[in-house]
Amino acid sequence: MRKSRIGILTGGGDCAGLNPAIKWVVKSALDERLMAERGKQYEVVGIKDGWKGLIDIESSIVPLDEKVVRTWDRYGGTMLGTSRTNPYNPGNDCSKTVIANIEKLELDALVTIGGDDTLSVAHKLSKEGIKIVGIPKTIDKDLCETDYTLGFETAVEVITEEIDRLRITADSHKRVFVVETMGRDAGWLALEGGESSGAFMILIPEYDFSIEKVNRLVMDARKDGTRHEIIVVAEGAKPSGGTQSICESTEDAFGHNRLGGIAEWLAAEIHRNTKIDTRSLNLSYLQRGGNPCAYDRRMGRYFGIAAIDLIAHHRYGLLVCYRNGKITSSPFENVIGRMNRVNVDTQYDVDRYNGRHTIIGKEMHSGKPE
Ligand code: F6P
């Protein structure tokens, strides 16, 4: 009996959690007991460097089995490599080549691990009849329909650890430190990284900040006797009336500019206005590096298993999701073209420029469900 061949690729920015997901796609697909139960035999091939590996298939295919992937869940990044290649790039549409290569490689199903860009390609291919399922990953946590995207918790750990270090030097020198996090147009990394590290102020793209108010909050804190302040700012945050800081104006294949530089700008502004010694640090790619934390290993495992469950049940065009404590799935069309951003009304304190300071609503105090 011919085995069904499953291809797997990782696309977009790398992060921790990809390798655990790959490992568990492979382990779950090749599990002897499950294969007997399903009455179906699978083989799995890795596709190197994201969609690029399906445009040029010469030397981009790696057979995967339990022995190959055995230790992968301990490591960050992606053993398969990644790219920001967009087969549907209007300036260079290679989608027909991708479809032809999927046939040539006799791939019966494809698992794509990615964020909104990678999954938008999966969605288009799915509409063209390719059997695809997706696994959500992005440190930005900006995908809809899922409460978790791989890489996020590890990135929050990095932010927390680095800020713990920064506090020591900030306090010795009585300095303000402005720390920039990634996240594009979503403030989750800044918000949850800032909350985890007990930041004095958190600035997010969902709410434009007033520079006068930032200065005032810093001055007020100093009057109260603080020796240092940590201000976490998302790369996509901007002052009211201003624009996002762009560090590279050339757009990538999905039309994104590279954001960066807001922390440096803000630190200079705070120093200019308050005369307090202020420094900035952009945590940048450190947030995507390092080995996956325990949560990313577990979620990678569950997402990988769920992707094979979907394939085994012939359910395609779906993204594996985590919703209200359960692993589930959602059609690509519910995910693509939307963005999960911080809800300023319920998750942000606009007065303190920080995380919320009340959590339980009136309805819950009175015992009624929200
Ligand atoms: O989407 C993940 C992310 O790390 C963003 O937070 C960041 O803006 C972007 O990728 C950086 O992209 P690149 O790896 O192309 O520089």
Side-chain angles (χ1 to χ4, degrees), residues 117-182:
D117 293 336
T118 305
L119 296 173
S120 70
V121 174
H123 181 35
K124 285 181 183 150
L125 287 172
S126 159
K127 285 198 283 191
E128 300 208 46
I130 303 295
K131 293 175 177 164
I132 302 196
V133 297
I135 293 180
K137 75 84 216 177
T138 164
I139 64 167
D140 305 344
K141 209 176 73 169
D142 58 356
L143 287 176
C144 284
E145 297 291 302
T146 183
D147 298 337
Y148 194 66
T149 58
L150 295 178
F152 180 75
E153 277 301 324
T154 304
V156 168
E157 289 285 344
V158 171
I159 296 168
T160 310
E161 281 171 19
E162 295 303 333
I163 291 180
D164 280 352
R165 288 192 183 94
L166 274 183
R167 273 187 195 290
I168 297 168
T169 171
D171 204 71
S172 306
H173 288 266
K174 293 184 84 175
R175 281 175 176 155
V176 174
F177 255 95
V178 186
V179 181
E180 182 169 322
T181 62
M182 282 186 164

Side-chain angles (χ1 to χ4, degrees), residues 13 84 138-140 182-184 235 252 258-259 285 288:
R84 291 206 184 272
T138 164
I139 64 167
D140 305 344
M182 282 186 164
R184 278 218 173 109
E235 62 180 3
D252 69 14
R258 194 140 65 82
L259 296 172
Y285 295 94
R288 298 222 306 246

Side-chain angles (χ1 to χ4, degrees), residues 272-301:
R272 195 167 63 81
N273 287 288
T274 65
K275 304 293 172 259
I276 298 170
D277 210 4
T278 305
R279 297 284 191 271
S280 67
L281 180 82
N282 187 347
L283 290 176
S284 188
Y285 295 94
L286 286 175
Q287 294 160 96
R288 298 222 306 246
N291 291 331
C293 66
Y295 192 69
D296 272 317
R297 294 182 200 199
R298 267 184 354 272
M299 292 308 282
R301 176 180 179 135

Side-chain angles (χ1 to χ4, degrees), residues 53-335:
L54 278 177
I55 293 170
D56 181 6
I57 51 175
E58 182 90 19
S59 71
S60 72
I61 305 303
V62 230
L64 299 174
D65 62 26
E66 286 111 320
K67 276 201 190 122
V68 175
V69 300
R70 192 170 62 85
T71 60
W72 285 17
D73 50 348
R74 298 168 213 168
Y75 301 107
T78 164
M79 298 290 191
L80 293 178
T82 186
S83 68
R84 291 206 184 272
T85 302
N86 177 6
Y88 288 94
N89 187 345
N92 179 23
D93 193 321
C94 301
S95 56
K96 295 282 169 280
T97 310
V98 167
I99 293 168
N101 282 337
I102 289 173
E103 273 168 30
K104 200 164 170 185
L105 293 167
E106 298 183 330
L107 297 179
D108 297 290
L110 199 55
V111 178
T112 53
I113 314 181
D116 52 348
D117 293 336
T118 305
L119 296 173
S120 70
V121 174
H123 181 35
K124 285 181 183 150
L125 287 172
S126 159
K127 285 198 283 191
E128 300 208 46
I130 303 295
K131 293 175 177 164
I132 302 196
V133 297
I135 293 180
K137 75 84 216 177
T138 164
I139 64 167
D140 305 344
K141 209 176 73 169
D142 58 356
L143 287 176
C144 284
E145 297 291 302
T146 183
D147 298 337
Y148 194 66
T149 58
L150 295 178
F152 180 75
E153 277 301 324
T154 304
V156 168
E157 289 285 344
V158 171
I159 296 168
T160 310
E161 281 171 19
E162 295 303 333
I163 291 180
D164 280 352
R165 288 192 183 94
L166 274 183
R167 273 187 195 290
I168 297 168
T169 171
D171 204 71
S172 306
H173 288 266
K174 293 184 84 175
R175 281 175 176 155
V176 174
F177 255 95
V178 186
V179 181
E180 182 169 322
T181 62
M182 282 186 164
R184 278 218 173 109
D185 297 313
W188 297 112
L189 271 181
L191 180 64
E192 295 187 45
E195 287 175 338
S196 304
S197 57
F200 169 68
M201 229 185 280
I202 301 169
L203 304 172
I204 56 174
E206 290 84 349
Y207 193 81
D208 291 354
F209 61 88
S210 136
I211 182 66
E212 292 77 25
K213 183 160 169 180
V214 168
N215 292 328
R216 197 169 61 245
L217 288 169
V218 170
M219 292 302 283
D220 288 351
R222 287 294 162 121
K223 277 186 210 136
D224 281 350
T226 55
R227 283 185 64 89
H228 77 269
E229 283 76 25
I230 302 288
I231 301 176
V232 176
V233 60
E235 62 180 3
K238 58 178 171 38
S240 353
T243 51
Q244 286 182 325
S245 299
I246 290 170
C247 68
E248 195 184 302
S249 53
T250 330
E251 287 182 357
D252 69 14
F254 288 93
H256 305 296
N257 291 124
R258 194 140 65 82
L259 296 172
I262 182 71
E264 196 181 352
W265 175 84
L266 184 59
E269 281 299 302
I270 294 171
H271 175 67
R272 195 167 63 81
N273 287 288
T274 65
K275 304 293 172 259
I276 298 170
D277 210 4
T278 305
R279 297 284 191 271
S280 67
L281 180 82
N282 187 347
L283 290 176
S284 188
Y285 295 94
L286 286 175
Q287 294 160 96
R288 298 222 306 246
N291 291 331
C293 66
Y295 192 69
D296 272 317
R297 294 182 200 199
R298 267 184 354 272
M299 292 308 282
R301 176 180 179 135
Y302 304 149
F303 283 174
I305 292 171
I308 295 302
D309 285 341
L310 289 177
I311 291 173
H313 290 98
H314 310 287
R315 297 184 58 209
Y316 299 105
L318 297 169
L319 178 69
V320 172
C321 296
Y322 180 65
R323 215 60 211 269
N324 302 324
K326 287 203 176 90
I327 304 289
T328 167
S329 67
S330 185
F332 285 138
E333 60 256 33
N334 291 354
V335 179

